[in-house]
Amino acid sequence: MKRNAAYDLNALRREFPILDREVYGHPLVYLDSAASAQKPRVVIEAQREYEAHFHSNIHRGVHTLATQATEAYEGVRSKLTEHINAARREEIIFTSGTTDSINLVAGTWGRANLNSGDVVALTRLEHHSNIVPWQILAKEKGFDIVVIEIDEDGSLCEESLKAALSRSPKLLCVSHVSNTLGTVNDVTRITAQAHEVGAVVLVDGAQAVPHKKIDVRDIGCDFYAASGHKMYGPSGVGFLYGKAELLEEMPPWKGGGEMIQTVSFEEETTFNVPPYKFEAGTPHLSGVIGLGAALDWINSVGLDKIAEHEEALIKYASERLSEIEGMRLIGTSKDKASVVSFLVDGTHPSDIGTILDQLGVAVRTGHHCTEPIMNKLGIPGTVRASFAAYSTFEEVDALVAGVERAVKMLR
Ligand code: PLP
């Protein structure tokens, strides 16, 4: 059933300049927000304003521009602290995105704490960026990786979770929302269960932050990672939340400027305090400023309202797509966010994606950087439509009409 968004959807769409463009003579129907969301004008403008009027390197300067840039950059750290309800601003590290954040945890906490005989638990739902860093480190350190399996509907298998926890993992990694199946994991409960057996918990929040209110203290996790470009912000910027007591103990990762206290050839080099210990070199300054603008924008619309609208879109899209003969929805767990993945009998996902593109409909096809899910389900990939605050029911209709047309052409 179509339900009006709890905000003025047309007015909101006008804030996104890109949504005006055409592809192959058709109005753009952008259903690939899980890969990268589009940016409202305020984000684009905030970056431009920074570059045009107060760009300067941060922290090190005494001049006016350096002070203004530093204040703006550090202001976003405070904003993000509040946005995800971290206890202290020192718990927020700016990174280049989720991938970078997870590699940071692997390269510091992981390298310092994981050894031969240890166990790391990963779910089958993880994006490659929450699998491969652990596989690389496992090869170096000799620890075991245990996989928490999924059920047919794409939800985590409770028995498998129990079995993994019975091996007392030192670390459990879980995505908050699956980018391929849309499954929302109960990360608060899973964190509590993992803590009972002494595991540190890393939550990949890349697909959750654009769609849900995140409260890291309520979740209780030790680390939480996300990317700016999936939350209406710039690419090349993201963050890692880490509990202060863990960050303080962790050795540095990348070496360079800003992450040191003193550097000497004669005495031992000493390191800065978190978060600066983990922010070597000049960061993506305009990216962080843009991320701050994206947070303001999200809050001005309201995550609750965005979630409600997206939930209605998922429901409508699932119902409409199911009317197509041979349709197979992939990922049907009860609690879902943001994405609808599917296959149609007798067709290949990439052929459907190519035909949809010619109709102006942008979807993603393939394994979505989650090959282990494809292996488990025995499928080559899926067509994935993903939604954001600006998505409309009419766009779902365009998707359905496009898939119907593609299926006719391909069968
Ligand atoms: N984790 C999940 C669940 C994702 O969907 C993605 C990107 O699609 C990533 C991690 C990697 O994010 P990034 O490429 O921004 O580092």
Side-chain angles (χ1 to χ4, degrees), residues 262-295:
T262 59
V263 178
S264 170
F265 284 123
E266 288 72 34
E267 315 214 353
E268 203 172 329
T269 289
T270 57
F271 302 114
N272 209 336
V273 291
Y276 309 109
K277 181 164 73 172
F278 304 106
E279 291 183 2
T282 305
H284 183 3
L285 297 166
S286 66
V288 170
I289 308 292
L291 179 59
L295 291 176

Side-chain angles (χ1 to χ4, degrees), residues 6-324:
Y7 43 85
D8 184 341
L9 191 46
N10 288 330
L12 182 140
R13 283 178 66 83
R14 283 196 293 275
E15 296 181 50
F16 289 77
I18 206 168
L19 296 180
D20 269 347
R21 69 161 287 180
E22 295 190 341
V23 174
Y24 291 114
H26 299 278
L28 169 67
V29 173
Y30 188 73
L31 298 177
D32 196 20
S33 296
S36 216
Q38 298 299 350
K39 296 173 195 56
R41 203 170 277 109
V42 283
V43 170
I44 299 166
E45 278 304 311
Q47 284 191 273
R48 201 198 62 80
E49 171 74 10
Y50 167 77
E51 298 291 11
H53 296 296
F54 60 107
H55 166 69
S56 166
N57 213 328
I58 52 166
H59 295 142
R60 285 161 276 227
V62 291
H63 60 77
T64 302
L65 291 190
T67 309
Q68 287 179 347
T70 304
E71 277 171 7
Y73 178 88
E74 290 300 334
V76 178
R77 200 189 307 275
S78 301
K79 213 172 260 181
L80 199 45
T81 306
E82 200 178 313
H83 192 77
I84 63 167
N85 197 29
R88 295 160 55 177
R89 60 193 303 288
E90 292 78 12
E91 296 181 317
I92 304 290
I93 300 161
F94 288 120
T95 64
S96 70
T98 310
T99 304
D100 200 38
S101 300
I102 295 169
N103 276 276
L104 191 164
V105 179
T108 59
W109 183 89
R111 178 157 288 119
N113 289 284
L114 298 171
N115 293 300
S116 169
D118 289 336
V119 170
V120 167
L122 308 178
T123 87
R124 186 169 285 275
L125 291 171
E126 298 316 299
H127 187 278
H128 293 167
S129 62
N130 205 13
I131 298 174
V132 183
W134 305 112
Q135 289 178 328
I136 292 171
L137 193 62
K139 209 155 202 180
E140 184 186 316
K141 300 288 225 146
F143 57 81
D144 287 342
I145 290 176
V146 57
V147 179
I148 302 167
E149 290 296 349
I150 50 174
D151 289 329
E152 271 298 301
D153 66 353
S155 52
L156 276 190
C157 169
E158 288 299 322
E159 285 306 304
S160 186
L161 172 64
K162 245 192 240 157
L165 292 176
S166 75
R167 292 191 57 190
S168 301
K170 251 194 173 167
L171 172 72
L172 183 142
C173 297
V174 57
S175 45
H176 198 161
V177 175
S178 158
N179 63 307
T180 298
L181 306 179
T183 310
V184 180
N185 288 314
D186 184 350
V187 288
T188 306
R189 174 178 62 85
I190 294 169
T191 299
Q193 285 176 282
H195 280 171
E196 265 174 38
V197 299
V200 161
V201 176
L202 184 160
V203 178
D204 172 351
Q207 296 294 343
V209 280
H211 309 291
K212 302 173 97 40
K213 179 92 194 84
I214 305 303
D215 183 332
V216 287
R217 276 191 278 175
D218 178 55
I219 295 169
C221 58
D222 301 284
F223 297 108
Y224 196 97
S227 301
H229 67 104
K230 297 192 194 282
M231 49 197 294
Y232 310 98
S235 56
V237 68
F239 69 88
L240 174 71
Y241 156 82
K243 275 189 183 155
E245 56 271 30
L246 284 172
L247 294 183
E248 272 151 27
E249 279 170 17
M250 278 159 50
W253 182 37
K254 295 175 183 165
E258 198 55 34
M259 51 76 72
I260 50 88
Q261 211 159 45
T262 59
V263 178
S264 170
F265 284 123
E266 288 72 34
E267 315 214 353
E268 203 172 329
T269 289
T270 57
F271 302 114
N272 209 336
V273 291
Y276 309 109
K277 181 164 73 172
F278 304 106
E279 291 183 2
T282 305
H284 183 3
L285 297 166
S286 66
V288 170
I289 308 292
L291 179 59
L295 291 176
D296 289 342
W297 184 84
I298 289 173
N299 291 328
S300 74
V301 182
L303 269 166
D304 289 348
K305 289 181 189 164
I306 294 174
E308 192 185 316
H309 176 55
E310 291 171 349
E311 201 179 304
L313 288 169
I314 291 181
K315 197 159 178 286
Y316 181 65
S318 304
E319 284 167 7
R320 290 273 350 255
L321 285 166
S322 298
E323 290 162 11
I324 296 172

Side-chain angles (χ1 to χ4, degrees), residues 306-375:
I306 294 174
E308 192 185 316
H309 176 55
E310 291 171 349
E311 201 179 304
L313 288 169
I314 291 181
K315 197 159 178 286
Y316 181 65
S318 304
E319 284 167 7
R320 290 273 350 255
L321 285 166
S322 298
E323 290 162 11
I324 296 172
E325 199 207 315
M327 173 60 60
R328 184 175 161 203
L329 296 180
I330 310 290
T332 51
S333 73
K334 267 209 296 292
D335 200 1
K336 273 187 72 166
S338 139
V339 310
V340 175
S341 256
F342 59 90
L343 284 171
V344 188
D345 288 349
T347 66
H348 194 278
S350 63
D351 294 335
I352 292 195
T354 306
I355 294 171
L356 285 175
D357 179 50
Q358 282 157 11
L359 300 169
V361 181
V363 292
R364 191 138 295 239
T365 61
H367 55 58
H368 318 297
C369 296
T370 56
E371 281 193 57
I373 296 180
M374 303 301 145
N375 297 342

